[in-house]
Amino acid sequence: MPKKMKFSVVLPIYINVELKTFRKSLQSILNQTLKPNEIILILDGPIKHEIKKFILKKKKTYKSIKIITFSKNHGLGYVLNKAIKSCKYNIIARCDADDFSNKKRFQTQINFFKKNKKVDVLGCNIKEVNNSKIISKKFMVKEDHKIKKQLLFRNPINHSSVMFKKNKVLNSGNYQQIQYFEDYYMWFAMAKNNCIFQNLPSFLVSMSVDDDFYIRRSGLKYYKYYLNFILKVRKKFKVSILIILFNIILRLPLIFLHYKFIKILYSFILRN
């Protein structure tokens, strides 16, 4: 009988998360056909009382649940950096508090890792949902060389769908605090470190998308965050200045477009 591949799950929670959504998200992890050996819930600063009460109740039943608490909000990059280091197992699945995993997600991804030992980062396609209704499907490029080519122009891995190897993440510098682009920056670091990427063709995660999703991706503030990210990429990873300028110019309209136009852009151009 082949040796079981043990793995951890990392799921951050912050003040804006609602109980109804989080309950569904956590339950989708607990109901997996292949159960995680460790579920690390990161409380990034104060969270809603009813969510904390729900977590403590679940922890009594599921011994795999561990809690990391931060007294104040530090941001995704910071808390993921700490959580990755604390994971007991080398295979780590990322989940978000408002996304839902198909019950066979972990089984499918672990089976792939068993058969493809050279792969270090494994994502998949996702469905984007609003009030349980599918509004779009996001198809990802699958092969390593295509992912690394697309990496130069847009994020080729869905963060809340990913499983990766802890040692490869740590060897690549781990998560950094780069607002909105913590995962994207790390993919650059891992690509630079010759890590192997893959996306599965299956839709294993449903991601909650509402108007706030598009609002956060528009306006001058978001554009400044993007500039900070892309200039760090240029400096750290020596990406061609022509590619950097192309990306900066391409995203310039984000400053001026209303979020409803951003919504249309995502729905009809960037999605299927």
Side-chain angles (χ1 to χ4, degrees), residues 173-196:
N174 205 346
Y175 282 94
Q176 302 297 310
Q177 185 58 20
I178 301 176
Q179 187 78 10
Y180 292 130
F181 300 98
E182 298 89 352
D183 58 317
Y184 198 175
Y185 186 83
M186 195 171 73
W187 309 149
F188 269 102
M190 295 185 79
K192 183 74 173 179
N193 200 28
N194 297 316
C195 294
I196 304 299

Side-chain angles (χ1 to χ4, degrees), residues 13-15 42-52 55:
I13 310 155
Y14 68 113
I15 190 64
I42 315 162
L43 312 189
D44 187 11
I47 63 171
K48 290 181 171 60
H49 174 72
E50 59 267 27
I51 292 183
K52 194 164 188 178
I55 289 171

Side-chain angles (χ1 to χ4, degrees), residues 38-201:
E38 176 182 60
I39 302 170
I40 296 181
L41 303 180
I42 315 162
L43 312 189
D44 187 11
I47 63 171
K48 290 181 171 60
H49 174 72
E50 59 267 27
I51 292 183
K52 194 164 188 178
K53 185 178 178 182
F54 174 72
I55 289 171
L56 293 175
K57 182 180 178 181
K58 286 294 182 182
K59 191 175 187 299
K60 291 179 181 179
T61 305
Y62 296 92
K63 303 305 179 185
S64 57
I65 293 178
K66 300 178 182 178
I67 302 171
I68 298 178
T69 303
F70 293 91
S71 59
K72 64 178 183 178
N73 179 265
H74 287 279
L76 188 61
Y78 181 91
V79 299
L80 285 178
N81 182 291
K82 302 298 182 184
I84 296 302
K85 292 175 183 176
S86 72
C87 285
K88 186 175 180 179
Y89 304 104
N90 194 45
I91 300 294
I92 301 173
R94 269 283 291 115
C95 296
D96 279 338
D98 53 358
D99 296 344
F100 324 115
S101 294
N102 177 291
K103 67 180 182 179
K104 292 185 178 180
R105 174 193 165 185
F106 297 158
Q107 182 78 68
T108 303
Q109 290 182 304
I110 288 295
N111 284 346
F112 185 90
F113 270 120
K114 286 179 178 178
K115 296 174 183 176
N116 300 272
K117 298 187 184 301
K118 291 184 178 180
V119 172
D120 303 306
V121 180
L122 181 63
C124 65
N125 294 336
I126 64 168
K127 297 175 183 177
E128 294 175 324
V129 300
N130 188 303
N131 294 322
S132 301
K133 180 182 177 182
I134 299 172
I135 58 173
S136 59
K137 293 181 178 180
K138 191 175 179 185
F139 293 85
M140 311 304 292
V141 294
K142 300 176 186 65
E143 297 87 0
D144 178 70
H145 70 282
K146 291 182 180 179
I147 289 171
K148 286 172 178 171
K149 183 177 180 180
Q150 190 179 80
L151 180 70
L152 296 171
F153 303 101
R154 60 182 295 197
N155 193 336
I157 301 287
N158 292 309
H159 198 191
S160 61
S161 79
V162 77
M163 261 193 186
F164 48 54
K165 293 176 180 175
K166 174 182 176 178
N167 63 325
K168 297 293 186 175
V169 170
L170 295 180
N171 290 342
S172 302
N174 205 346
Y175 282 94
Q176 302 297 310
Q177 185 58 20
I178 301 176
Q179 187 78 10
Y180 292 130
F181 300 98
E182 298 89 352
D183 58 317
Y184 198 175
Y185 186 83
M186 195 171 73
W187 309 149
F188 269 102
M190 295 185 79
K192 183 74 173 179
N193 200 28
N194 297 316
C195 294
I196 304 299
F197 294 76
Q198 185 83 23
N199 275 314
L200 295 172

Side-chain angles (χ1 to χ4, degrees), residues 21-38:
T21 308
F22 174 71
R23 182 190 286 118
K24 186 177 177 182
S25 176
L26 182 59
Q27 206 60 51
S28 76
I29 295 171
L30 299 174
N31 291 342
Q32 290 287 308
T33 55
L34 179 64
K35 311 297 183 188
N37 302 94
E38 176 182 60

